[in-house]
Amino acid sequence: MKTPAFAKGGSRSLDRLLPLILLPVALIALGPVVRLLLEGIGFGDGLTSAHLATVLSRPSTGTALLHSLITAGGGTVLSVLIGASFAFLVALTDIRGKGALVFCLMVPMMIPPQITALAWMQMAGPSSTLLKVLGLAPPLGSPQPLHSPGGIILLLGIQHASLVFLTLRAGLRMIPADLVEAARMSGAGSLRVWAQTVLPLSMPSLIAGGAMAFVTALGNFGILAMLGIPAGYATLPTLIYQRLVGMGPSVLPEVAVLSLLIGAVAILGILVSRYVLSRKGFGLVGLSGNPLALSLGRGRGAVEILLWGFIFVILGLPLFALLATSLIPAYGVPLTFASATFDAWKEVLFIQPGTRRAYGNSLMLATSAAAILLVISLPLAWLMERRANRLSRLLDALIDLPYALPGVVLSIACILTFLNLPFTDMTLYGTIWIILLAYLARFFVVMLRPIQASIAQLDPAMEEAAASVGARLSRRLRDIVLPLAAPSAAAGAILVFLTAVNELTVSALLWSSGTETLGVVIYNLEDSGETVMASALAMSIVLLIVMLMGLVQAGAKRFPKGVIPWQS
Amino acid sequence: MAELSFSNLSKQFDGVAALDSINAQITSGEFVALLGPSGCGKTTLLRLTAGFEHPSAGEIQIGGHTVAGAGQFVPPEDRGVGIVFQSYALWPHKSVYANVAYPLEVRRVPRAERQARVAEALSLTGLSDLAQRMPSQLSGGQRQRVALARCLVFDPRAVLLDEPLANLDLALRASMQEVFSMFHRRTGATMLYVTHDQGEALALADRVAVMAAGRIRQFAAPEVLYREPVDCFVAGFVGDGAVVSARCTGQTDGARLVLNVLGQEVLSRSATPEPSHVSIRPESIAISEDAPLRARVTGCTYLGGQFRLTLDTAGETLVAFARQRARIGETVGIRLQDLWAFRDPGGVITMQRALAHA
């Protein structure tokens, strides 16, 4: 018989050390938000509501808030119309090519809003290269129709339709098939079943999807800045941006109040969506399945043409317009076979130091953010799933905040937090590190949730089996958890990369000369009239995004359910 | 190999008692089954032994060393106890060979010895040809054997099996039972086998601990459980037959008591002078036309070689074996012989309550 050698103490050190990562994570992810809240009540100058009162009573604040609500509200209505139509048709009918259709509907969500705006602007207005080619351009001097509240609402609606689509489709899949069959047995036809059974049952998802679209539209900066600023139509995010860019850090207390205002509206929206989702379901019981497989019969072809036509208009046309503009030698020159040139592409990709630096910065930031988050999220997700305690549960509940809050709010929060590093004279403001920290805070959930999902689906017996044969925690994490969670972690990393490489909202407020990102450079190029170069740069980014999305799509079968945002 | 010992072991989950003061000794090399309906605490006892749970009170010893309790806790990786899970818990990203080799890798066993021991474990479980397969390419029975090989390759001090046959079909269960028996004979390992299937427990184990509501009701050899159950629950849960209340007449006949059962005076074996119930196994009922006790046939199923009759008499349901088929509704005479009596006042109610959870 072997002599027992029971190790004591020491060997379990990782078990004790691991929970310590909760602290830095909480500091980076939630510290800035807390700091911003403190600023609102006059942190540093003693408790005061003076700032709050001054800023909130200004007429410009009210106007911007009203504009924000109008555009976000209008955009939400449009998103719900588009997203719901697609969701009902894709989930409930027998149309063909659903996978491709869904992928194409998701592309606008992944394309950064400033590129969407740029592309649409190339499609309308007197200088549109595409319209010139077709001979449809309005006369010079006529206004750009998209530089208006209506244009903003249109683009916001299209950009966020996929949020409504995804939420609603997930909800539709939860509806038990037998409810529908029961309705049919009672003699209801397809349309009546849809209107009287499916629609009421899917209402909670529809409302939740709408709330998400509203919150996201509220925080959208790219579209509001590209279309709203030229039109002189101020919204809360652009007001904050213009104040801070125009006056510098001295207006921080003032913009902090503005960002608290927009944050409060956003949180209200999130709470509504959570409340609706928590009451979701009228206690749906039964096997979920395809609730309806409505046969469209002879109308199927027409519906398919309609859907693809719509996709072409919201995705194909703007991208064609963007491509066309990127191929002309100078803005205003008509595109012909003779005039087409790749000069602008060469210029932005290889010659201009600013754009090359931006590419370098964005790739570096996106890669670092993805890599750092990957390394932290794996043990963190394990901790949250397997060793949940009060602190980890609190973090779990709050870590959505930096991602759900409008980007300007997080930016202001980061500036406040890192302007003067505690206990030192150093500042991170104006360095690339503040952007990286903001990205880490903002994209934490994007990485964490997929890994969490895959660890939650992992049979705990896998790890227990490894423990019983003698593997310690570090080995179990390395040999068992890591390889099994790797596909989801990879998907999460690509998602973080995709989102970060296009980021504009956060970096617009945090960049300075030398640390500009791709999003910022596109915006600045367009702002200074270099539309052709902006288009070429934007087009190159769209290609990069579609390629990365394709990569994730190709590995779709290896990921657990819910990892890829455009699949459910 | 090592003996296992539990003393006053209790476990509560959020204040609800899952195990209540368990005391048991399992000797080195013994094959013990934990038998009980679901929710009786048998899996909790297994997980406490493995080290996946901390006891709320009491002590666990493995090979004479305290592994849990008295302010000590040895983590699972240091207990040297192998476990075979109901779900098999094979690592899906490792081949059969890599699954079985992993315990040795963790122990830094040199490569040559590792290969030899893995090959031995694979051949013992009949898996040599499947070494390079991935778990997803195996059938249920093959996966079970990989789990077993992975467990035996590192010479564990004890082997714990958590309902290992629950996910297999009937035919495979019988052949896997033989694999477990063979495995136990070959290795002489101390084995703790959790099951809710009394057939498995009685067939495999040297001793069976019958559990209900977090307590061990009886811990004895299978034949003792069957012939001499201590209470209504064990009598009803183990084996076929009926439990019927009995009245003492105060008379004895040698070592046996004379009891009044179903209005008849019958001789019973017993460990107590004042029993309250008798266990009537099918073998204890002889069918004869001239017997004074009459019973109505309510069911008749053919078991191969004999018929199993359910009989209704004086409001009680009895089970008997018969050579000939009986018509349903027919009345037969029965004679009771060689009964076992025990004292368990109010026992039928607790039995029903315990079985209601099953």
Side-chain angles (χ1 to χ4, degrees), chain B:
Chain B
M1 301 313 116
E3 70 269 16
L4 303 175
S5 149
F6 309 108
S7 41
N8 295 318
L9 190 64
S10 295
K11 174 71 184 173
Q12 279 120 34
F13 290 108
D14 299 325
V16 179
L19 280 183
D20 186 6
S21 202
I22 297 286
N23 285 291
Q25 263 74 39
I26 296 167
T27 56
S28 185
E30 199 175 11
F31 193 140
V32 166
L34 298 177
L35 174 67
S38 55
C40 72
K42 56 193 192 300
T43 297
T44 304
L45 183 54
L46 187 93
R47 292 178 60 81
L48 280 166
T49 313
F52 300 139
E53 308 280 354
H54 292 247
S56 306
E59 218 179 278
I60 303 171
Q61 292 192 339
I62 300 178
H65 294 259
T66 303
V67 293
Q72 292 191 52
F73 186 79
V74 177
E77 55 265 33
D78 294 322
R79 291 196 182 185
V81 167
I83 178 158
V84 173
F85 291 88
Q86 181 174 356
S87 61
Y88 318 134
L90 300 184
W91 301 302
H93 58 300
K94 290 176 183 284
S95 68
V96 168
Y97 184 94
N99 260 284
V100 178
Y102 188 71
L104 303 180
E105 273 169 41
V106 170
R107 290 182 165 68
R108 297 165 201 261
V109 172
R111 176 178 284 269
E113 186 192 341
R114 199 162 75 205
Q115 283 172 346
R117 282 173 67 179
V118 172
E120 189 196 343
L122 289 177
S123 92
L124 195 67
T125 44
L127 291 166
S128 302
D129 297 337
L130 305 175
Q132 297 314 317
R133 294 263 187 100
M134 296 308 278
S136 58
Q137 299 169 306
L138 301 178
S139 70
Q142 289 166 339
R143 287 179 202 189
Q144 182 62 266
R145 282 185 284 163
V146 177
L148 200 59
R150 181 176 71 185
C151 176
L152 83 101
V153 75
F154 71 101
D155 264 331
R157 297 144 54 78
V159 178
L160 313 177
L161 303 113
D162 186 9
E163 307 239 8
L165 302 182
N167 293 337
L168 298 181
D169 62 50
L170 267 179
L172 212 47
R173 273 186 214 182
S175 80
M176 279 309 295
Q177 281 189 22
E178 279 170 32
V179 173
F180 288 137
S181 287
M182 180 274 300
F183 173 69
H184 182 238
R185 277 197 309 278
R186 289 278 292 267
T187 60
T190 309
M191 288 172 82
L192 196 56
Y193 186 107
V194 163
T195 179
H196 64 269
D197 181 333
Q198 51 146 324
E200 257 170 63
L202 301 185
L204 286 167
D206 298 325
R207 279 197 299 160
V208 178
V210 181
M211 296 183 65
R215 287 170 168 274
I216 294 182
R217 294 307 190 90
Q218 190 171 6
F219 189 13
E223 60 275 21
V224 177
L225 288 183
Y226 187 83
R227 280 183 55 80
E228 299 174 357
V230 293
D231 61 15
C232 292
F233 177 78
V234 177
F237 194 73
V238 176
D240 205 355
V243 178
V244 171
S245 64
R247 199 158 44 78
C248 294
T249 59
Q251 296 161 292
T252 54
D253 175 12
R256 296 195 285 186
L257 304 176
V258 179
L259 297 177
N260 187 311
V261 177
L262 299 169
Q264 307 291 313
E265 290 207 340
V266 291
L267 288 176
S268 280
R269 295 171 288 118
S270 183
T272 152
E274 286 191 336
S276 61
H277 291 82
V278 284
S279 159
I280 309 176
R281 298 296 181 195
E283 307 84 63
S284 311
I285 300 179
I287 294 178
S288 67
E289 276 318 304
D290 57 343
L293 185 58
R294 310 302 292 178
R296 200 166 58 85
V297 178
T298 56
C300 174
T301 48
Y302 186 56
L303 294 182
Q306 60 186 357
F307 293 89
R308 179 181 183 274
L309 305 185
T310 45
L311 304 169
D312 197 23
T313 177
E316 299 282 354
T317 302
L318 306 180
V319 178
F321 293 144
R323 294 246 149 247
Q324 271 96 40
R325 185 181 287 277
R327 262 185 307 109
I328 295 185
E330 176 186 2
T331 305
V332 294
I334 54 175
R335 183 174 292 122
L336 304 175
Q337 59 205 7
D338 192 31
L339 303 184
W340 168 259
F342 51 86
R343 179 160 183 80
D344 186 11
V348 177
I349 296 140
T350 52
M351 178 181 93
Q352 278 161 352
R353 202 177 298 142
L355 287 175
H357 291 295

Side-chain angles (χ1 to χ4, degrees), chain A residues 279-361:
Chain A
R279 293 177 34 130
K280 178 172 180 163
F282 304 76
L284 289 182
V285 259
L287 285 176
S288 60
N290 249 354
L292 264 182
L294 263 180
S295 170
L296 292 176
R298 232 173 283 158
R300 182 164 78 168
V303 170
E304 282 167 356
I305 290 171
L306 204 68
L307 291 179
W308 281 107
F310 187 75
I311 292 277
F312 179 72
V313 170
I314 64 161
L315 182 66
L317 272 187
L319 289 182
F320 272 128
L322 189 65
L323 184 67
T325 304
S326 78
L327 293 177
I328 53 176
Y331 203 49
V333 177
L335 178 69
T336 60
F337 280 108
S339 69
T341 165
F342 274 105
D343 281 354
W345 285 72
K346 265 185 241 155
E347 188 75 14
V348 291
L349 292 182
F350 303 110
I351 297 167
Q352 282 272 335
T355 52
R356 279 173 51 201
R357 197 164 57 226
Y359 243 109
N361 282 341

Side-chain angles (χ1 to χ4, degrees), chain A residues 80-127:
Chain A
V80 167
L81 286 178
I82 301 172
S85 315
F86 266 82
F88 282 128
L89 284 171
V90 167
L92 305 180
T93 70
D94 61 346
I95 55 165
R96 289 161 292 186
K98 288 179 182 173
L101 201 61
V102 172
F103 187 84
C104 288
L105 189 64
M106 290 303 117
V107 174
M109 180 173 79
M110 303 306 291
I111 290 180
Q114 71 276 18
I115 292 184
T116 310
L118 183 65
W120 277 79
M121 275 150 60
Q122 303 319 308
M123 202 168 79
S127 311

Side-chain angles (χ1 to χ4, degrees), chain A residues 11-260:
Chain A
S11 68
R12 305 274 283 172
S13 55
L14 187 62
D15 247 344
R16 278 194 293 270
L17 285 177
L18 210 49
L20 295 181
I21 66 166
L22 288 174
L23 210 63
V25 167
L27 275 181
I28 289 178
L30 302 176
V33 178
V34 173
R35 177 67 184 79
L36 178 65
L37 278 176
L38 292 176
E39 184 71 22
I41 53 168
F43 179 74
D45 326 323
L47 271 185
T48 167
S49 57
H51 285 314
L52 219 57
T54 334
V55 178
L56 290 185
S57 60
R58 246 182 237 154
S60 65
T61 310
T63 312
L65 177 63
L66 183 67
H67 287 175
S68 273
L69 290 176
I70 289 174
T71 50
T76 304
V77 171
L78 198 57
S79 294
V80 167
L81 286 178
I82 301 172
S85 315
F86 266 82
F88 282 128
L89 284 171
V90 167
L92 305 180
T93 70
D94 61 346
I95 55 165
R96 289 161 292 186
K98 288 179 182 173
L101 201 61
V102 172
F103 187 84
C104 288
L105 189 64
M106 290 303 117
V107 174
M109 180 173 79
M110 303 306 291
I111 290 180
Q114 71 276 18
I115 292 184
T116 310
L118 183 65
W120 277 79
M121 275 150 60
Q122 303 319 308
M123 202 168 79
S127 311
S128 163
T129 315
L130 189 72
L131 292 184
K132 279 184 182 168
V133 169
L134 299 174
L136 293 175
L140 278 176
S142 50
Q144 164 65 268
L146 291 173
H147 285 170
S148 63
I152 295 175
I153 287 175
L154 175 69
L155 293 206
L156 286 177
I158 290 170
Q159 182 95 22
H160 304 129
S162 42
L163 289 174
V164 179
F165 171 82
L166 288 175
T167 322
L168 181 55
R169 189 173 64 154
L172 286 174
R173 292 200 170 159
M174 301 294 287
I175 297 179
D178 42 13
L179 283 184
V180 171
E181 280 155 13
R184 294 212 131 162
M185 295 299 292
S186 327
S190 292
L191 225 73
R192 186 181 278 262
V193 169
W194 175 77
Q196 296 184 341
T197 306
V198 175
L199 191 61
L201 287 178
S202 54
M203 223 37 177
S205 334
L206 199 59
I207 295 171
M212 276 169 69
F214 177 77
V215 171
T216 321
L218 198 63
N220 191 306
F221 178 73
I223 290 173
L224 293 173
M226 296 279 263
L227 301 181
I229 292 179
Y233 189 79
T235 54
L236 280 176
T238 54
L239 183 65
I240 292 171
Y241 172 76
Q242 285 178 308
R243 282 273 157 80
L244 196 64
V245 168
M247 329 268 270
S250 62
V251 290
L252 265 179
E254 182 195 322
V255 293
V257 174
L258 288 177
S259 54
L260 277 175

